[in-house]
């Protein structure tokens, strides 16, 4: 790896950490960068996942104020994220890389739709609930579990999926939803990272560069993201989601 290639991976890590803290899809920066400097796709995907864990941690810590009062909800949904991620990681290591090629863009598109219609959908759901469910009910658990499988397998735009799900099933403002998303994304990435470290081939130079960059980017992204008004954040989320679809479909 040349110094220029190392610098490119480090810079990609900063960008990915910042985007992940605000919405998700940071892997769409780091993964193609690592492939472009010569890492095999599966090795790049595994190394990228491990490297982004520190950035996910700083992004979650940056939203500490918005996480207050969400402990029970996150414990409940966190189990879905952990179990789903473990399954997704196993699928990555044992199934062909083309398995989710068709499904992934559809899931991201659905998530973008959910983000756009979230306020209206929340009002519709609340009007038909006898009692608002603080944890989103069983359907949200299943959705977070499915997002965990996807996140353990590839992970790009899992934040868009989680925000769409959380925003549609729980009655919270978007910043608190984003804070919960950061914690669940951290659990997904950390679970898959433990699996990959144990049984997969890892490029530790790439991991170190992404980790350093993502740590800085996650801290900066959390600072910026917490100050964005809900409509601006919602627009940004949809734009990133659409960019993710284009990137996954057209390469």
């Amino acid at each position: 790896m040349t110094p220029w290639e190392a610098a490119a991976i480090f810079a990609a890590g900063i960008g990915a950490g910042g985007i992940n803290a605000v919405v998700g899809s940071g892997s769409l920066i780091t993964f193609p960068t690592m492939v472009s400097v010569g890492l095999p796709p599966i090795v790049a995907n595994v190394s990228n996942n491990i490297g982004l864990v520190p950035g996910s941690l700083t992004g979650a810590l940056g939203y500490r104020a918005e996480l207050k009062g969400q402990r029970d909800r996150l414990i409940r949904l966190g189990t879905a994220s952990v179990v789903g991620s473990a399954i997704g990681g196993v699928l990555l290591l044992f199934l062909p890389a083309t398995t989710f090629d068709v499904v992934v863009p559809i899931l991201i598109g659905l998530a973008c739709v959910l983000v756009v219609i979230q306020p209206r959908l929340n009002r519709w759901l609340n009007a038909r609930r006898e009692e608002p469910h603080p944890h989103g009910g069983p359907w949200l658990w299943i959705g977070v579990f499915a997002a965990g499988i996807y996140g353990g397998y590839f992970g790009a735009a899992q934040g868009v999926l989680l925000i769409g799900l959380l925003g549609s099933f729980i009655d919270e403002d978007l910043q608190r939803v984003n804070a919960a998303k950061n914690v669940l994304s951290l659990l997904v990435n950390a679970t898959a990272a433990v699996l990959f470290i144990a049984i997969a081939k890892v490029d530790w130079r790439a991991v170190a560069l992404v980790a350093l960059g993502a740590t800085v980017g996650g801290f900066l992204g959390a600072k910026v993201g917490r100050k964005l008004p809900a409509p601006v954040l919602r627009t940004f989320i949809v734009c990133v989601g659409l960019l993710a679809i284009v990137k996954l479909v057209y390469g």
Side-chain angles (χ1 to χ4, degrees), residues 122-223:
N122 276 354
R123 289 193 295 269
W124 184 85
L125 290 171
N126 287 333
R128 283 154 180 79
R129 289 188 191 120
E130 293 182 6
E131 250 178 69
H133 199 300
H135 306 311
W139 287 112
L140 177 58
W141 196 96
I142 293 170
V144 171
F145 170 73
I149 294 176
Y150 168 64
Y153 185 86
F154 182 44
Q158 68 165 316
V160 178
L161 290 171
L162 285 170
I163 287 180
L165 287 164
L166 294 169
S168 298
F169 284 93
I170 60 176
D171 187 18
E172 294 281 7
D173 68 66
L174 194 58
Q175 292 293 0
R176 283 175 61 80
V177 166
N178 200 35
K181 176 270 296 180
N182 283 344
V183 173
L184 296 178
S185 295
L186 169 62
L187 291 173
V188 169
N189 290 342
T191 301
V194 171
L195 176 66
F196 295 154
I197 290 170
I199 62 175
K201 183 178 179 181
V202 179
D203 188 309
W204 289 106
R205 295 172 302 171
V207 168
L209 290 166
V210 171
L212 289 172
T215 300
V216 175
F219 176 77
L220 296 176
K223 276 189 166 298

Side-chain angles (χ1 to χ4, degrees), residues 90-111:
V90 170
L91 292 176
L92 172 67
L93 298 176
F94 293 101
L95 290 181
T98 56
T99 303
F100 285 166
D101 281 355
V102 175
V103 176
V104 168
I106 295 172
L107 290 176
I108 297 172
L110 176 60

Side-chain angles (χ1 to χ4, degrees), residues 46-153:
V46 166
S47 303
N48 173 63
N49 181 288
I50 299 170
L52 287 177
V53 171
S56 298
L57 178 60
T58 55
L61 291 174
Y63 277 81
R64 290 189 302 274
E66 288 78 10
L67 288 171
K68 289 180 180 178
Q70 299 201 65
R71 185 185 64 179
D72 291 345
R73 173 187 298 151
L74 289 173
I75 290 174
R76 177 186 176 90
L77 296 176
T79 60
S81 290
V82 169
V83 175
S85 178
I87 294 172
V90 170
L91 292 176
L92 172 67
L93 298 176
F94 293 101
L95 290 181
T98 56
T99 303
F100 285 166
D101 281 355
V102 175
V103 176
V104 168
I106 295 172
L107 290 176
I108 297 172
L110 176 60
C112 289
V113 172
L114 288 173
V115 169
V116 170
I117 68 172
Q118 177 208 327
R120 187 171 299 177
L121 183 58
N122 276 354
R123 289 193 295 269
W124 184 85
L125 290 171
N126 287 333
R128 283 154 180 79
R129 289 188 191 120
E130 293 182 6
E131 250 178 69
H133 199 300
H135 306 311
W139 287 112
L140 177 58
W141 196 96
I142 293 170
V144 171
F145 170 73
I149 294 176
Y150 168 64
Y153 185 86

